[in-house]
Amino acid sequence: MTPARSTAITNALVYCCDDAFTTINPGTVVFRDGVITDVGGTSTVEIPGDAELIDGRGRLAVLPGLIDVHSHSSLLKGFSENAQLMDWLPQYQREHQVLTEDDAYHACLVSYMEALKGGTTTVTDMYRYLHRAAEVASQLGLRVHLVPYAADHPTKLFFETIDTNEQLIRDHHNTQGGRIKVWLGLEHITYCSEQMFERVRELSQQYGVSIHTHTSEQKEEVDAVVELFGARPVEVFAQRGILQRGSLLAHCVWLNDSEIELLAATGTGVAHCPTSNMKLAGGAAPLPAFAAAGLNVGLGSDGAISNNSLSMWETMKFASLLQKVSRYDATALRAEAALRMATIDGARTLGVDDHVGSIEVGKDADLITIDLWQPHLLPITQSEGHDPVLWNLVFAARASDVNNVWVQGHHRVSDSRLTGIDEVAALNEIHARTQSLLKRREATTSVAMLP
Ligand SMILES: [Zn+2]
């Protein structure tokens, strides 16, 4: 049930992440019935008489909830290590060869618990048995864009199918107050037939839902696609008609200029996953070229399996560092740009920027607070028109610094604890389930990436 009372967070450093990148200090944010009703200076905003008051005492930052535009739930982080994508994928897929519904439920549980506690209020989850993901998302109260790993190649039939994807749309799209959305998912281009692409395109029209896949993560992967199809991956997507406004492609590290133009011309967005791209030694996506072409770019963790962490704080920092080091340019991807990508730009890639991604009156109250009164986040001061707090949020803040999270006005993390679940009991269950999955995984052998 939506709380009837207003909530007001006062005396805080408010980062609105709106178009003008408004910051207010000391600022106040008021919300009621899940919607932001007032934002402004603490001395000017009128606080409703019935409001629950949270006094930041100059030591709290308020941000829009962070948005992870490409993730994969998993129970098994730390198991597929020291490998580039094409060697890594077959190892990762051993989990999928034996995955059950209950494994998937617990994978989503552990992943969404971590995400929400770290201030991520929207997760795009490409995974399986996603009706169970919907169950977890309802329980914890975060927003999810559920995207089945679907494939139809005879060697990859352990993945979801276009039919289970359609069923998921029918059962769960736009449920839970709109917090659960379902998209169409295509696993790797080499696992999905032309007929499957055609059906995905049809269903996208029929249900008005977007299409998500990943591509061009490693140079050798692109070479292999060119060899198989006689065209580069994004050219194949164009031929198969899935590039359109709302479609979202993860990674896009190895795109050439004409592929970037194809994305720009069709309004297709990019989910940039810097940590995973660094860890799997994929490369540095050409963000300046994306910006020049006017592409919508959000940030993704890519899930714990290729990152070991779902922290969007780390993702923001690494996004910036990766651009700086790969371009030998210390001015590349400033803190503001990284924070925009993790909030409003991410919302835009998901087509939900009309109601989330920034702190503005009339938008949903997806809000987080960060406790700044800690050694690694001082100083809290501004001078000469410079804001060190913004830089320190992007380069020094940790997921564990998030002490409150509201999603659509519901208080989902309070005093750094999840409100919707007994965390200790959940961890015990997750641990037991992981042992069981590992035993079954040990009995598998990997299937080569390329058919
Ligand atoms: Zn991925």
Side-chain angles (χ1 to χ4, degrees):
M1 231 179 67
T2 307
R5 284 174 72 193
S6 296
T7 303
I9 312 165
T10 66
N11 290 310
L13 286 81
V14 181
Y15 291 88
C16 296
C17 301
D18 54 355
D19 284 342
F21 204 75
T22 309
T23 61
I24 313 167
N25 182 22
T28 292
V29 181
V30 186
F31 56 93
R32 184 188 185 92
D33 293 336
V35 175
I36 297 168
T37 54
D38 210 346
V39 187
T42 295
S43 58
T44 54
V45 167
E46 203 171 308
I47 308 235
D50 70 335
E52 180 195 357
L53 206 61
I54 295 170
D55 185 352
R57 298 186 301 144
R59 300 173 176 186
L60 270 190
V62 185
L63 272 67
L66 304 180
I67 296 176
D68 185 343
V69 301
H70 182 73
S71 186
H72 309 278
S73 287
S74 178
L75 284 172
L76 301 182
K77 62 169 171 271
F79 282 87
S80 308
E81 299 292 340
N82 283 320
Q84 272 195 294
L85 178 77
M86 291 170 74
D87 302 319
W88 175 92
L89 265 176
Q91 284 308 316
Y92 166 51
Q93 287 175 6
R94 292 174 60 205
E95 162 184 344
H96 285 286
Q97 292 174 48
V98 293
L99 197 81
T100 67
E101 253 192 56
D102 281 340
D103 297 331
Y105 170 86
H106 289 93
C108 294
L109 184 60
V110 74
S111 303
Y112 299 172
M113 284 172 71
E114 180 185 348
L116 194 55
K117 287 183 71 152
T120 302
T121 50
T122 301
V123 174
T124 304
D125 192 5
M126 194 173 213
Y127 201 53
R128 294 176 48 210
Y129 301 113
L130 287 169
H131 55 292
R132 304 301 304 273
E135 197 180 323
V136 179
S138 314
Q139 195 179 355
L140 297 181
L142 84 168
R143 289 182 199 271
V144 283
H145 287 240
L146 302 177
V147 192
Y149 266 134
D152 65 351
H153 192 276
T155 64
K156 304 288 175 185
L157 293 181
F158 46 88
F159 282 121
E160 298 286 323
T161 66
I162 194 77
D163 293 332
T164 59
N165 198 153
E166 184 177 9
Q167 193 59 49
L168 193 75
I169 295 170
R170 287 172 182 267
D171 294 343
H172 294 284
H173 183 55
N174 265 334
T175 58
Q176 291 285 316
R179 292 192 299 274
I180 296 180
K181 307 223 182 282
V182 180
W183 281 19
L184 288 150
L186 287 156
E187 235 294 272
H188 200 268
I189 190 171
T190 55
Y191 311 161
C192 302
S193 68
E194 241 179 291
Q195 294 72 25
M196 187 171 162
F197 272 82
E198 200 178 315
R199 187 113 165 78
V200 159
R201 208 176 60 228
E202 284 166 9
L203 291 176
S204 165
Q205 298 298 325
Q206 185 182 338
Y207 292 100
V209 303
S210 298
I211 302 168
H212 186 40
T213 187
H214 28 214
T215 190
S216 310
E217 199 171 338
Q218 189 186 335
K219 190 171 177 302
E220 292 77 7
E221 170 207 357
V222 173
D223 295 343
V225 169
V226 170
E227 185 138 315
L228 267 171
F229 299 101
R232 297 176 65 84
V234 173
E235 293 166 349
V236 177
F237 294 149
Q239 288 162 9
R240 295 183 177 184
I242 63 150
L243 301 183
Q244 58 189 28
R245 183 153 299 284
S247 286
L248 182 62
L249 303 182
H251 302 295
C252 297
V253 175
W254 295 95
L255 300 197
N256 66 18
D257 289 347
S258 74
E259 288 179 293
I260 294 172
E261 265 170 43
L262 277 172
L263 299 191
T266 52
T268 302
V270 173
H272 175 47
C273 305
T275 318
S276 168
N277 296 156
M278 290 164 83
K279 188 160 184 270
L280 271 56
L287 294 196
F290 292 168
L295 300 190
N296 288 327
V297 182
L299 280 185
S301 65
D302 204 18
I305 31 121
S306 62
N307 178 323
N308 306 57
S309 164
L310 301 179
S311 167
M312 290 303 289
W313 304 93
E314 287 180 5
T315 303
M316 282 192 276
K317 178 173 181 171
F318 290 140
S320 178
L321 293 181
L322 178 56
Q323 292 303 310
K324 290 179 193 303
V325 70
S326 62
R327 297 175 197 292
Y328 302 102
D329 178 3
T331 68
L333 205 81
R334 291 156 195 245
E336 177 185 325
L339 182 55
R340 279 181 186 274
M341 283 168 72
T343 55
I344 188 64
D345 292 354
R348 207 168 281 128
T349 64
L350 298 179
V352 292
D353 52 305
D354 60 332
H355 61 282
V356 297
S358 60
I359 303 178
E360 295 180 75
V361 171
K363 279 202 169 182
D364 284 6
D366 284 20
L367 300 166
I368 62 176
T369 65
I370 294 95
D371 176 12
L372 298 171
W373 203 247
Q374 308 192 66
H376 64 282
L377 290 177
L378 294 185
I380 310 176
T381 187
Q382 284 150 328
S383 85
E384 299 168 357
H386 178 68
D387 181 8
V389 178
L390 172 62
W391 285 87
N392 296 335
L393 282 169
V394 171
F395 284 85
R398 304 166 187 160
S400 54
D401 298 329
V402 174
N403 53 5
N404 285 288
V405 177
W406 291 267
V407 184
Q408 225 172 31
H410 297 272
H411 206 169
R412 298 305 190 186
V413 174
S414 174
D415 198 16
S416 303
R417 307 295 295 174
L418 292 166
T419 59
I421 195 168
D422 176 340
E423 287 188 34
V424 175
L427 293 178
N428 287 339
E429 258 185 48
I430 290 160
H431 179 68
R433 175 53 57 175
T434 305
Q435 304 307 313
S436 149
L437 173 61
L438 271 174
K439 263 202 202 99
R440 282 173 280 130
R441 177 182 179 270
E442 266 167 30
T444 66
T445 49
S446 57
V447 181
M449 182 196 171
L450 291 174

